[in-house]
Amino acid sequence: MKKLNFSYGLDWLMATVAFVSSLGVLQTFIIGKHFIIPTMILVIAVLFGNLAWYGFQQQKWAKLVNFWLAVILTSHCFFALFWAKKYREILGDAFEPTAIVITLLLLALTWLYASKNQLFKQS
């Protein structure tokens, strides 16, 4: 249970992406009867699974990659507030509150991850 803290927050996010991607592989291969698409999704599952695994093992390079991926994702969510059309149409009036909450949660998770793991501490 010691891995359920903010030091591993982004590692858990990467593990979740890997798990959902693995389910996507099974769904497209078994139900969809596709063979090329599941292979490409499998690449994503293996990549994020390895990032999560090595992040849990306290490998500094994996922690840094996870951090920068989260920065990109947070930036993506921030800019979606201003320029997203598809999600605004899908969610309607709930788009702004939903996008703001997701952006702030990702920002907090990324900030806490970097500070708890001392990713940019001067030696």
Side-chain angles (χ1 to χ4, degrees):
M1 294 316 270
K2 68 179 184 175
K3 293 196 189 278
L4 288 177
N5 58 43
F6 289 114
S7 298
Y8 298 101
L10 294 179
D11 303 328
W12 282 108
L13 181 63
M14 299 303 161
T16 303
V17 170
F19 178 73
V20 170
S21 298
S22 299
L23 292 178
V25 169
L26 291 175
Q27 190 275 336
T28 54
F29 184 72
I30 296 170
I31 297 171
K33 303 290 186 202
H34 297 286
F35 303 106
I36 301 299
I37 296 170
T39 306
M40 296 309 296
I41 299 172
L42 182 62
V43 169
I44 294 169
V46 169
L47 176 69
F48 282 100
N50 280 314
L51 286 173
W53 173 260
Y54 286 109
F56 283 128
Q57 302 302 316
Q58 294 295 321
Q59 295 291 320
K60 182 86 170 194
W61 67 268
K63 296 272 187 195
L64 286 168
V65 170
N66 290 345
F67 169 78
W68 286 111
L69 286 173
V71 167
I72 292 168
L73 180 61
T74 304
S75 301
H76 172 77
C77 290
F78 176 74
F79 290 121
L81 281 168
F82 306 105
W83 291 293
K85 293 180 182 175
K86 180 173 73 170
Y87 299 118
R88 193 176 300 275
E89 291 171 1
I90 293 171
L91 295 173
D93 291 336
F95 172 74
E96 285 87 5
T98 304
I100 289 170
V101 167
I102 290 171
T103 303
L104 291 176
L105 285 174
L106 282 171
L107 179 65
L109 183 64
T110 305
W111 180 272
L112 287 168
Y113 186 80
S115 63
K116 296 285 185 186
N117 289 301
Q118 300 177 349
L119 294 181
F120 300 104
K121 182 181 176 188
Q122 297 293 331
S123 297

